[in-house]
Amino acid sequence: SNMTETDIQQVLAHLPENFSMRDINDACVKCGLPSLAQGMIELPPPEILRRIAAEVAMDGSVHQYRSRAGETEALEAVHKLLRLHYGTPSAPGSVLMTQGVTSAVLATLLWVRS
């Protein structure tokens, strides 16, 4: 089932000021709603993934920092996907790209809370 704005406000009311994904999960459970916390909070990533990440991180030619506004080509691709696949035109600056679902959920909840 889809969460309503009232459901989201109920979850927000149960969150401490500096909340974490664990807090989001606990608030959703307390409210009887599907958890907005993504991933397996208590389990580490698979060892093979950690080994690959460690190798890439040690490669001096790799630079992990990217544009804070998002890569132009990626943003254009998202706008095109929204328009062509979903029939939803989007204005420049209306798409926020994050480093993962945790950042996206937190950014959304902080925006809703403001």
Side-chain angles (χ1 to χ4, degrees), residues 8-102:
I8 293 171
Q9 293 299 333
Q10 184 181 9
V11 170
L12 288 172
H14 285 87
L15 292 175
E17 185 173 334
N18 296 312
F19 59 88
S20 67
M21 291 308 291
R22 173 89 266 161
D23 296 321
I24 294 171
N25 178 74
D26 293 346
C28 289
V29 170
K30 189 179 293 183
C31 295
L33 298 167
S35 177
L36 297 175
Q38 300 295 311
M40 300 299 288
I41 297 170
E42 288 80 17
L43 301 176
E47 184 177 342
I48 187 68
L49 181 60
R50 289 181 283 151
R51 287 184 190 281
I52 292 169
E55 286 177 28
V56 170
M58 296 307 292
D59 181 344
S61 67
V62 174
H63 192 306
Q64 66 185 9
Y65 295 107
R66 308 302 292 184
S67 168
R68 289 180 298 171
E71 297 295 319
T72 303
E73 289 179 4
L75 288 168
E76 288 172 359
V78 170
H79 286 292
K80 183 177 179 181
L81 175 72
L82 290 171
R83 186 180 75 252
L84 298 178
H85 186 72
Y86 295 101
T88 305
S90 56
S94 64
V95 173
L96 172 66
M97 299 185 87
T98 67
Q99 291 86 353
V101 73
T102 301

